[in-house]
Amino acid sequence: MEQQVSHDLLKRIDSPGDLRELPVSLLPEVCSELRDMIIDELSRNPGHLGSNLGSIELTVAVHYVFNTPYDRIVWDVGHQAYSHKILTGRRDRFCTNRKLNGLCPFPSPAESEYDTFTCGHASNSISAALGMAVAAAGKGEDDRHVVAVIGDGSMSGGLAFEGLNNVSSIPNNLLIILNDNNMAIDRSVGGMKQYLLNLHTSEGYNRFRNLLSRKLYNWGVLNEERRKSLIRFNNSLKSMLMQQQNIFEGLNIRYFGIVDGHDVGALVRVLKEIKDMKGPKLLHVHTRKGKGYGPAEESATVWHAPGLFDKETGERIVKDTEGQPPLFQEVFGNTLLELARQNDKIVGVTPAMPTGCSMNILMKEMPGRAFDVGIAEGHAVTFSGGMAKEGLLPFCNIYSSFMQRAYDNVIHDVAIQKLNVVLCLDRAGLVGEDGPTHHGVFDLAYLRPVPNLTIASPYDEHELRKLMYTAQLPGKGPFVIRYPKGRGVLVDWECPLEEIEVGRGRKMKDGTDLAVITLGPVGNDAARALARAEQDTGLSVAHYDLRFLKPLDQDMLHEIGRNFKRIVTVEDGVLMGGMGSAVLEFMSDNGYAPNVKRLGIPDCFVQHGTVQELRKICGIDETGIYNAIIQMLDQ
């Protein structure tokens, strides 16, 4: 029988203020109860497990030492903030996490005053926290502390380095906590390193240091430039003694670490010692993903977001997919390897998502031809552009919502030069429980105005394979292929690799009373919807798969414009500026005046829920498309 844990301490904590009433000696038990609660809940309601188990002690220590929410805690990559949610008044609602109308998947200022900033994507915490720190100083709030908690993966993002550079040049008292959950601590931790950590965080040392600094200023011996020189000398001496160097001290950011991120008592002590120090500071904390749960510790990648699992045995509950169509990303990964075997110019590039996008398939067989560049989407695009300029043919796979971060790179470093880079946008459309920061709904609208791009979306797995084959043929230039998260529709997904004429759509079905124009896999839902509508009304509905948003199939659109007065367009992207807008523009520019009903994502940020729930809300599921067709046929 499963043992029930009482969570006696957690039941007493409705806010961080309650946490701060406890003695330090009870904090390990709080951490244990948090760990058990997260494991128990996520075994039944899937979410991000490994990173949250690794950040529990750090979260408890930060809320224990700092006066939140007055003190600002800015999380980076919010999938490490579940314990933060539980401690900040959302314990009893944690069972609704990631569900429709439940708790948000990531910290959200709209949900809680403790959630200081949006943090679904990576690397923004330092910039946002610095802005808050400067604002606090400008308002005279000298007692307000601002803390940025950033993971080591997020530190690879360019925005993090931009923030660090600015932190070093603007007067501020920002504390940056680097949650390092990947690096190992070598044997030299302890001894001199521990002595220096104790010294640099000790109250006596820092009181003497500040007193001496003030006196030297008063005597006219020390000015700002000399102060920075002394800090650089101090950092150089410390680096020599500790046998390590780091970029933070080179930027005149005081560095403290490495601290065991699972020793909550040590974290509390160090945070108390350094929190009131003047100037920018960085605390380097080492944690382990999946801490406290054996299976998650042993396989961090698998247990990052493992889905349902048996918490007692550690066995993941994987649905039987025998006889089901494959995931689109699996088709991408296998097809990329197939193409790479045929074309030695092909290389793969992904920003930290080799498993998620299935580029690990190419990496396994051809490790020298696949590159994981870390959380650095802009770099991934420009890096691909550089390789393309020298004759290689990069397939750069980036989740649609993350491609937003590389928009300028697409324009400046690929499109202007007409470089043959294949930009594969995985997770296009509504992605479900990860919510508005991750929905890939903007790419059609923001890429459509960019010259020289070809933009396509496959109807099914066969079309994806053929588009990938077409994109790597000579002279195709910048080529965008977008496809959704989840499974396709074809169990027999393999097919011959054949070229598709760029800018050529397909008439899927003849009709006379109304035309339905679709782009991408949502066309399968439309096909079922129009079949029902025909059966129920006896009228005739035509179906066109546009295939390419750019260039448009003008011959096909002329055919539709001449023959139909009623048109329904369906896309899994935003309506404003998307495929439906392109169709309307074409009709207007060419003197056609049909009645056009556009279906897609409305002008709002769609919240979290299952993909099917969200598609229903937006009216682009089979029923929503059916209703729109019926309404148009009645007109």
Side-chain angles (χ1 to χ4, degrees), residues 598-619:
R598 295 178 302 138
L599 301 181
I601 310 304
D603 185 26
C604 66
F605 288 107
V606 179
Q607 296 306 306
H608 57 283
T610 67
V611 171
Q612 196 57 31
E613 287 172 336
L614 301 182
R615 286 166 64 89
K616 180 178 180 180
I617 289 171
C618 294

PDB file of all heavy atoms in Angstrom, residues 598-619:
ATOM      1  N   ARG A 598     -12.332  33.694 -42.017  1.00  0.00           N
ATOM      2  CA  ARG A 598     -11.004  33.237 -41.633  1.00  0.00           C
ATOM      3  C   ARG A 598     -11.054  32.572 -40.258  1.00  0.00           C
ATOM      4  O   ARG A 598     -11.577  33.142 -39.307  1.00  0.00           O
ATOM      5  CB  ARG A 598     -10.015  34.405 -41.593  1.00  0.00           C
ATOM      6  CG  ARG A 598      -9.766  35.052 -42.951  1.00  0.00           C
ATOM      7  CD  ARG A 598      -8.817  36.239 -42.841  1.00  0.00           C
ATOM      8  NE  ARG A 598      -9.342  37.242 -41.929  1.00  0.00           N
ATOM      9  CZ  ARG A 598      -8.604  37.910 -41.027  1.00  0.00           C
ATOM     10  NH1 ARG A 598      -7.312  37.648 -40.893  1.00  0.00           N
ATOM     11  NH2 ARG A 598      -9.158  38.814 -40.249  1.00  0.00           N
ATOM     12  N   LEU A 599     -10.492  31.369 -40.162  1.00  0.00           N
ATOM     13  CA  LEU A 599     -10.380  30.661 -38.893  1.00  0.00           C
ATOM     14  C   LEU A 599      -8.905  30.547 -38.519  1.00  0.00           C
ATOM     15  O   LEU A 599      -8.058  30.215 -39.353  1.00  0.00           O
ATOM     16  CB  LEU A 599     -10.987  29.258 -38.997  1.00  0.00           C
ATOM     17  CG  LEU A 599     -12.460  29.164 -39.394  1.00  0.00           C
ATOM     18  CD1 LEU A 599     -12.892  27.702 -39.421  1.00  0.00           C
ATOM     19  CD2 LEU A 599     -13.341  29.967 -38.445  1.00  0.00           C
ATOM     20  N   GLY A 600      -8.622  30.824 -37.265  1.00  0.00           N
ATOM     21  CA  GLY A 600      -7.244  30.757 -36.777  1.00  0.00           C
ATOM     22  C   GLY A 600      -7.182  31.223 -35.341  1.00  0.00           C
ATOM     23  O   GLY A 600      -8.186  31.204 -34.622  1.00  0.00           O
ATOM     24  N   ILE A 601      -6.027  31.672 -34.929  1.00  0.00           N
ATOM     25  CA  ILE A 601      -5.822  32.114 -33.545  1.00  0.00           C
ATOM     26  C   ILE A 601      -6.213  33.575 -33.429  1.00  0.00           C
ATOM     27  O   ILE A 601      -5.685  34.422 -34.158  1.00  0.00           O
ATOM     28  CB  ILE A 601      -4.354  31.915 -33.126  1.00  0.00           C
ATOM     29  CG1 ILE A 601      -3.880  30.500 -33.453  1.00  0.00           C
ATOM     30  CG2 ILE A 601      -4.206  32.216 -31.632  1.00  0.00           C
ATOM     31  CD1 ILE A 601      -4.692  29.391 -32.855  1.00  0.00           C
ATOM     32  N   PRO A 602      -7.124  33.919 -32.527  1.00  0.00           N
ATOM     33  CA  PRO A 602      -7.572  35.315 -32.397  1.00  0.00           C
ATOM     34  C   PRO A 602      -6.473  36.207 -31.813  1.00  0.00           C
ATOM     35  O   PRO A 602      -5.414  35.737 -31.395  1.00  0.00           O
ATOM     36  CB  PRO A 602      -8.764  35.192 -31.444  1.00  0.00           C
ATOM     37  CG  PRO A 602      -8.495  33.959 -30.639  1.00  0.00           C
ATOM     38  CD  PRO A 602      -7.795  33.011 -31.580  1.00  0.00           C
ATOM     39  N   ASP A 603      -6.765  37.498 -31.778  1.00  0.00           N
ATOM     40  CA  ASP A 603      -5.786  38.489 -31.330  1.00  0.00           C
ATOM     41  C   ASP A 603      -5.736  38.538 -29.803  1.00  0.00           C
ATOM     42  O   ASP A 603      -6.151  39.514 -29.168  1.00  0.00           O
ATOM     43  CB  ASP A 603      -6.145  39.864 -31.901  1.00  0.00           C
ATOM     44  CG  ASP A 603      -5.099  40.917 -31.587  1.00  0.00           C
ATOM     45  OD1 ASP A 603      -3.928  40.535 -31.391  1.00  0.00           O
ATOM     46  OD2 ASP A 603      -5.447  42.109 -31.537  1.00  0.00           O
ATOM     47  N   CYS A 604      -5.253  37.460 -29.222  1.00  0.00           N
ATOM     48  CA  CYS A 604      -5.071  37.380 -27.768  1.00  0.00           C
ATOM     49  C   CYS A 604      -4.042  36.293 -27.486  1.00  0.00           C
ATOM     50  O   CYS A 604      -3.732  35.485 -28.361  1.00  0.00           O
ATOM     51  CB  CYS A 604      -6.387  37.061 -27.057  1.00  0.00           C
ATOM     52  SG  CYS A 604      -7.032  35.411 -27.428  1.00  0.00           S
ATOM     53  N   PHE A 605      -3.506  36.292 -26.295  1.00  0.00           N
ATOM     54  CA  PHE A 605      -2.596  35.218 -25.897  1.00  0.00           C
ATOM     55  C   PHE A 605      -3.424  34.054 -25.369  1.00  0.00           C
ATOM     56  O   PHE A 605      -4.115  34.175 -24.354  1.00  0.00           O
ATOM     57  CB  PHE A 605      -1.604  35.701 -24.831  1.00  0.00           C
ATOM     58  CG  PHE A 605      -0.561  36.633 -25.374  1.00  0.00           C
ATOM     59  CD1 PHE A 605      -0.597  37.995 -25.098  1.00  0.00           C
ATOM     60  CD2 PHE A 605       0.465  36.151 -26.172  1.00  0.00           C
ATOM     61  CE1 PHE A 605       0.363  38.850 -25.595  1.00  0.00           C
ATOM     62  CE2 PHE A 605       1.423  37.004 -26.682  1.00  0.00           C
ATOM     63  CZ  PHE A 605       1.383  38.358 -26.399  1.00  0.00           C
ATOM     64  N   VAL A 606      -3.378  32.948 -26.076  1.00  0.00           N
ATOM     65  CA  VAL A 606      -4.145  31.769 -25.695  1.00  0.00           C
ATOM     66  C   VAL A 606      -3.470  31.120 -24.492  1.00  0.00           C
ATOM     67  O   VAL A 606      -2.245  30.932 -24.475  1.00  0.00           O
ATOM     68  CB  VAL A 606      -4.225  30.768 -26.866  1.00  0.00           C
ATOM     69  CG1 VAL A 606      -5.011  29.527 -26.457  1.00  0.00           C
ATOM     70  CG2 VAL A 606      -4.875  31.439 -28.078  1.00  0.00           C
ATOM     71  N   GLN A 607      -4.240  30.770 -23.479  1.00  0.00           N
ATOM     72  CA  GLN A 607      -3.679  30.224 -22.254  1.00  0.00           C
ATOM     73  C   GLN A 607      -3.357  28.736 -22.408  1.00  0.00           C
ATOM     74  O   GLN A 607      -3.307  28.224 -23.521  1.00  0.00           O
ATOM     75  CB  GLN A 607      -4.644  30.480 -21.095  1.00  0.00           C
ATOM     76  CG  GLN A 607      -4.824  31.965 -20.799  1.00  0.00           C
ATOM     77  CD  GLN A 607      -3.507  32.694 -20.550  1.00  0.00           C
ATOM     78  OE1 GLN A 607      -2.717  32.290 -19.706  1.00  0.00           O
ATOM     79  NE2 GLN A 607      -3.248  33.766 -21.295  1.00  0.00           N
ATOM     80  N   HIS A 608      -3.135  28.063 -21.308  1.00  0.00           N
ATOM     81  CA  HIS A 608      -2.693  26.671 -21.345  1.00  0.00           C
ATOM     82  C   HIS A 608      -3.874  25.721 -21.188  1.00  0.00           C
ATOM     83  O   HIS A 608      -4.917  26.054 -20.638  1.00  0.00           O
ATOM     84  CB  HIS A 608      -1.669  26.415 -20.246  1.00  0.00           C
ATOM     85  CG  HIS A 608      -2.160  26.741 -18.864  1.00  0.00           C
ATOM     86  ND1 HIS A 608      -2.242  28.025 -18.396  1.00  0.00           N
ATOM     87  CD2 HIS A 608      -2.620  25.951 -17.858  1.00  0.00           C
ATOM     88  CE1 HIS A 608      -2.721  28.023 -17.173  1.00  0.00           C
ATOM     89  NE2 HIS A 608      -2.970  26.771 -16.811  1.00  0.00           N
ATOM     90  N   GLY A 609      -3.676  24.515 -21.657  1.00  0.00           N
ATOM     91  CA  GLY A 609      -4.669  23.451 -21.644  1.00  0.00           C
ATOM     92  C   GLY A 609      -4.213  22.417 -22.644  1.00  0.00           C
ATOM     93  O   GLY A 609      -3.163  22.557 -23.258  1.00  0.00           O
ATOM     94  N   THR A 610      -4.976  21.366 -22.843  1.00  0.00           N
ATOM     95  CA  THR A 610      -4.597  20.398 -23.857  1.00  0.00           C
ATOM     96  C   THR A 610      -4.756  21.041 -25.239  1.00  0.00           C
ATOM     97  O   THR A 610      -5.515  22.002 -25.413  1.00  0.00           O
ATOM     98  CB  THR A 610      -5.465  19.135 -23.797  1.00  0.00           C
ATOM     99  OG1 THR A 610      -6.812  19.476 -24.166  1.00  0.00           O
ATOM    100  CG2 THR A 610      -5.456  18.523 -22.396  1.00  0.00           C
ATOM    101  N   VAL A 611      -4.033  20.507 -26.211  1.00  0.00           N
ATOM    102  CA  VAL A 611      -4.123  21.055 -27.563  1.00  0.00           C
ATOM    103  C   VAL A 611      -5.560  21.021 -28.059  1.00  0.00           C
ATOM    104  O   VAL A 611      -6.055  21.993 -28.650  1.00  0.00           O
ATOM    105  CB  VAL A 611      -3.189  20.274 -28.521  1.00  0.00           C
ATOM    106  CG1 VAL A 611      -3.437  20.692 -29.966  1.00  0.00           C
ATOM    107  CG2 VAL A 611      -1.723  20.500 -28.153  1.00  0.00           C
ATOM    108  N   GLN A 612      -6.257  19.917 -27.799  1.00  0.00           N
ATOM    109  CA  GLN A 612      -7.630  19.796 -28.275  1.00  0.00           C
ATOM    110  C   GLN A 612      -8.547  20.807 -27.596  1.00  0.00           C
ATOM    111  O   GLN A 612      -9.431  21.391 -28.242  1.00  0.00           O
ATOM    112  CB  GLN A 612      -8.156  18.373 -28.045  1.00  0.00           C
ATOM    113  CG  GLN A 612      -9.410  18.026 -28.824  1.00  0.00           C
ATOM    114  CD  GLN A 612      -9.241  18.201 -30.334  1.00  0.00           C
ATOM    115  OE1 GLN A 612      -8.143  18.024 -30.870  1.00  0.00           O
ATOM    116  NE2 GLN A 612     -10.316  18.586 -31.021  1.00  0.00           N
ATOM    117  N   GLU A 613      -8.358  21.054 -26.301  1.00  0.00           N
ATOM    118  CA  GLU A 613      -9.159  22.054 -25.600  1.00  0.00           C
ATOM    119  C   GLU A 613      -8.940  23.440 -26.198  1.00  0.00           C
ATOM    120  O   GLU A 613      -9.889  24.209 -26.401  1.00  0.00           O
ATOM    121  CB  GLU A 613      -8.804  22.063 -24.114  1.00  0.00           C
ATOM    122  CG  GLU A 613      -9.321  20.864 -23.331  1.00  0.00           C
ATOM    123  CD  GLU A 613      -8.775  20.812 -21.915  1.00  0.00           C
ATOM    124  OE1 GLU A 613      -7.680  21.394 -21.664  1.00  0.00           O
ATOM    125  OE2 GLU A 613      -9.423  20.178 -21.054  1.00  0.00           O
ATOM    126  N   LEU A 614      -7.687  23.760 -26.479  1.00  0.00           N
ATOM    127  CA  LEU A 614      -7.367  25.096 -26.985  1.00  0.00           C
ATOM    128  C   LEU A 614      -7.825  25.270 -28.427  1.00  0.00           C
ATOM    129  O   LEU A 614      -8.279  26.357 -28.815  1.00  0.00           O
ATOM    130  CB  LEU A 614      -5.865  25.345 -26.861  1.00  0.00           C
ATOM    131  CG  LEU A 614      -5.296  25.257 -25.433  1.00  0.00           C
ATOM    132  CD1 LEU A 614      -3.810  25.557 -25.429  1.00  0.00           C
ATOM    133  CD2 LEU A 614      -6.041  26.196 -24.483  1.00  0.00           C
ATOM    134  N   ARG A 615      -7.703  24.222 -29.225  1.00  0.00           N
ATOM    135  CA  ARG A 615      -8.186  24.301 -30.608  1.00  0.00           C
ATOM    136  C   ARG A 615      -9.704  24.505 -30.627  1.00  0.00           C
ATOM    137  O   ARG A 615     -10.240  25.235 -31.477  1.00  0.00           O
ATOM    138  CB  ARG A 615      -7.795  23.038 -31.377  1.00  0.00           C
ATOM    139  CG  ARG A 615      -6.312  22.988 -31.725  1.00  0.00           C
ATOM    140  CD  ARG A 615      -5.892  21.596 -32.168  1.00  0.00           C
ATOM    141  NE  ARG A 615      -6.545  21.194 -33.379  1.00  0.00           N
ATOM    142  CZ  ARG A 615      -6.078  21.425 -34.613  1.00  0.00           C
ATOM    143  NH1 ARG A 615      -4.937  22.074 -34.760  1.00  0.00           N
ATOM    144  NH2 ARG A 615      -6.730  20.996 -35.674  1.00  0.00           N
ATOM    145  N   LYS A 616     -10.394  23.879 -29.692  1.00  0.00           N
ATOM    146  CA  LYS A 616     -11.843  24.069 -29.596  1.00  0.00           C
ATOM    147  C   LYS A 616     -12.173  25.509 -29.233  1.00  0.00           C
ATOM    148  O   LYS A 616     -13.080  26.125 -29.824  1.00  0.00           O
ATOM    149  CB  LYS A 616     -12.427  23.115 -28.553  1.00  0.00           C
ATOM    150  CG  LYS A 616     -13.934  23.232 -28.382  1.00  0.00           C
ATOM    151  CD  LYS A 616     -14.466  22.220 -27.363  1.00  0.00           C
ATOM    152  CE  LYS A 616     -15.974  22.352 -27.204  1.00  0.00           C
ATOM    153  NZ  LYS A 616     -16.499  21.363 -26.208  1.00  0.00           N
ATOM    154  N   ILE A 617     -11.440  26.069 -28.265  1.00  0.00           N
ATOM    155  CA  ILE A 617     -11.670  27.451 -27.848  1.00  0.00           C
ATOM    156  C   ILE A 617     -11.462  28.407 -29.027  1.00  0.00           C
ATOM    157  O   ILE A 617     -12.206  29.383 -29.203  1.00  0.00           O
ATOM    158  CB  ILE A 617     -10.732  27.813 -26.676  1.00  0.00           C
ATOM    159  CG1 ILE A 617     -11.162  27.072 -25.400  1.00  0.00           C
ATOM    160  CG2 ILE A 617     -10.708  29.319 -26.436  1.00  0.00           C
ATOM    161  CD1 ILE A 617     -10.173  27.190 -24.266  1.00  0.00           C
ATOM    162  N   CYS A 618     -10.455  28.121 -29.847  1.00  0.00           N
ATOM    163  CA  CYS A 618     -10.131  28.993 -30.983  1.00  0.00           C
ATOM    164  C   CYS A 618     -10.979  28.695 -32.218  1.00  0.00           C
ATOM    165  O   CYS A 618     -10.879  29.408 -33.226  1.00  0.00           O
ATOM    166  CB  CYS A 618      -8.649  28.862 -31.335  1.00  0.00           C
ATOM    167  SG  CYS A 618      -7.532  29.479 -30.059  1.00  0.00           S
ATOM    168  N   GLY A 619     -11.777  27.628 -32.152  1.00  0.00           N
ATOM    169  CA  GLY A 619     -12.660  27.308 -33.270  1.00  0.00           C
ATOM    170  C   GLY A 619     -11.964  26.674 -34.450  1.00  0.00           C
ATOM    171  O   GLY A 619     -12.464  26.747 -35.589  1.00  0.00           O
TER     172      GLY A 619
END
